Amino acid sequence: MGWDIRLGGLDPAVTSQAMRHPEQVGNLAVVTRLLERFDAAGHDGDELHDLQAVLYRVSYRAQRAADGIGRALHRVEVGKGPDWPPAAGQESIAFAAPHWRLRCAADSRDVEEWRLERWVAERVIRQLRAVGDALAWRVFSYDRRAIVALSRNDPPGPFWKKAGLGYELGALNEIREQRGSFVLLHEKPLSFRM
């Protein structure tokens, strides 16, 4: 089966499975709550800061799961067991809780089932990234020039295992507390008075 990243590129039976996946269903509720908070936050820097923290946490969870699913898929493709869930430190497990819910069995050796899992995880990440894009649009007062300039960067890739991430998150909170500025988490933190 050919796997296309676009929903319309999938077989209707696969699309139906993907849309009923427990993580896809759960993410629709998460995105709805995030957008409700986004609307309620307006230009309040504290509210936007809190929203970004929640968005970061759910994105971290999805990226961590996608990485583990990709590893499991590769293992199954070469004839090994999936070794799911992936090993992680207790701090990472606690931060990324609850555990990612698979549609397939954790010990499945069916390549197509793991491809569906990966596709759903990547879709969830893109949906959450869209909320982050909306946040950037708000911070930049919907100024297209700023968005175009930032969008010219290479995709940042998964941040869940990025070196120096703890420092960046600490700096984000420190700037918020000391300067009262909302800091948009990007490849380089961007500070704004809101």
Side-chain angles (χ1 to χ4, degrees):
M1 168 188 328
W3 286 85
D4 190 326
I5 62 167
R6 297 167 302 184
L7 190 58
L10 290 177
D11 177 296
V14 175
T15 302
S16 179
Q17 290 174 7
M19 295 308 288
R20 288 192 320 264
H21 190 287
E23 288 295 338
Q24 177 61 67
V25 171
N27 196 57
L28 291 175
V30 167
V31 168
T32 297
R33 285 193 305 272
L34 286 168
L35 291 175
E36 287 169 351
R37 285 186 75 171
F38 178 76
D39 288 341
H43 290 280
D44 183 303
D46 290 329
E47 292 298 323
L48 292 173
H49 178 79
D50 292 346
L51 168 69
Q52 182 172 244
V54 172
L55 177 59
Y56 174 80
R57 186 180 196 114
V58 295
S59 296
Y60 179 96
R61 176 182 176 270
Q63 288 183 11
R64 185 174 175 275
D67 187 66
I69 290 167
R71 180 181 173 275
L73 172 61
H74 175 72
R75 290 178 56 84
V76 170
E77 286 174 333
V78 298
K80 296 179 181 177
D83 194 28
W84 181 267
Q90 290 302 314
E91 185 177 299
S92 176
I93 290 170
F95 188 74
H99 291 295
W100 190 266
R101 295 163 294 180
L102 298 174
R103 190 169 191 282
C104 69
D107 61 352
S108 172
R109 290 180 178 249
D110 183 325
V111 170
E112 293 304 315
E113 286 184 338
W114 284 101
R115 284 184 179 154
L116 177 67
E117 293 293 343
R118 183 182 63 188
W119 189 85
V120 169
E122 290 170 355
R123 183 171 170 74
V124 165
I125 291 167
R126 284 192 309 277
Q127 291 165 353
L128 295 170
R129 190 167 285 139
V131 176
D133 291 346
L135 186 58
W137 275 99
R138 163 110 10 113
V139 168
F140 287 109
S141 300
Y142 309 99
D143 183 347
R144 216 176 274 278
R145 295 170 298 176
I147 302 301
V148 168
L150 289 173
S151 69
R152 301 212 183 253
N153 294 335
D154 289 333
F159 59 77
W160 81 271
K161 55 185 175 180
K162 180 180 174 187
L165 184 59
Y167 175 80
E168 286 182 28
L169 295 175
L172 181 142
N173 288 324
E174 185 178 320
I175 292 168
R176 179 74 196 139
E177 290 172 11
Q178 290 180 356
R179 298 185 201 161
S181 297
F182 170 70
V183 181
L184 181 65
L185 192 57
H186 185 59
E187 288 179 32
K188 294 179 183 163
L190 305 167
S191 177
F192 301 92
R193 287 261 183 223
M194 297 299 287

